[in-house]
Amino acid sequence: MRNAGSKSDLDDAIPHSVSMTPASNSTPHSIFRIPHSAFRTPRSAGPLRLAFTRAIQDWYYGLIPFSIMNFFWIVLVLTVVGGPPATAAMLGVARDAATGQGGEPRQFFFYLRQYFWRAWGLGLVTFLVSVILLTDLGFYTDLMSENLLLLNIGSIFMLYVLIVWLEFLLIAWPLLVNQPEMPLRHVMRNAAILTLRMPGANFGLALVVIFLCVVSLSFGIILALALAAIVSLMAQHYLHMQAPVLANFPPPPGAGAVPPDEEL
């Protein structure tokens, strides 16, 4: 899987546990190191534009099922306990839709059970780091309130750190679902590497998600029926275009079929 003589620092930083089978498959997973070619060369706005377009298309084709699942997601998030598993379940269904298998509510509840404890592991990390960053932002604002120059510089820096954290989460959560055998520490390390390796496209992805959240808060119906589904679909498509090996998408339906005229 690796070209001889082209060993790079990035190759050494990637962990070794990656599955090439669908997330729902319980068969043994192969263990190997990810080659440098596992990552797509960043293109200006290309992956982001395609991810958003395909997410809207998938959501539109499954409008009614995704609306139902989006509603369940909101209800479970409000319970707090069901928030992280519901997020993982939405990403699992989004992966199914992105690979042409379709997204159904019954799969949502299947993934809800399958990823319950695994999602809570990353959910705790998400909560703790978010609280620390927001607390630091508030503390710095109060500390530098008398010096406008330092206040502005520090606030901009802290806001940028929060956006980078959002970029990390938009990669880590789908990776958690798509690589069910990968330990959480490797999920976080791979997500961190991808976050730092493609800062421009990741920044654009985070800005699009922030924009969708603002629009959804302005129009409650969008939040209730579309936000989580569209963001999940976009995150899955984006990860697949930027790091297809890590995305671990199964072959599309019909792939590898032999045409009738080629059958023996």
Side-chain angles (χ1 to χ4, degrees), residues 120-216:
W120 257 110
L122 185 55
L124 286 175
V125 174
T126 301
F127 174 76
L128 291 175
V129 176
S130 299
V131 168
I132 291 173
L133 292 177
L134 291 173
T135 302
D136 287 347
L137 177 61
F139 175 78
Y140 184 86
T141 301
D142 293 338
L143 184 65
M144 297 297 176
S145 58
E146 296 181 359
N147 190 322
L148 293 180
L149 178 61
L150 291 179
L151 176 63
N152 292 333
I153 295 175
S155 298
I156 292 173
F157 174 76
M158 289 301 300
L159 287 175
Y160 178 73
V161 171
L162 286 172
I163 293 177
V164 173
W165 174 239
L166 176 60
E167 297 171 16
F168 170 84
L169 295 178
L170 290 171
I171 295 174
W173 275 98
L175 185 56
L176 180 84
V177 172
N178 296 359
Q179 296 287 350
E181 300 300 322
M182 183 180 289
L184 181 59
R185 65 182 182 276
H186 289 170
V187 169
M188 296 177 62
R189 184 167 65 173
N190 280 338
I193 292 172
L194 284 173
T195 301
L196 297 175
R197 188 175 185 273
M198 298 170 289
N202 294 337
F203 186 75
L205 177 66
L207 291 183
V208 171
V209 171
I210 292 172
F211 173 77
L212 291 175
C213 291
V214 172
V215 172
S216 298

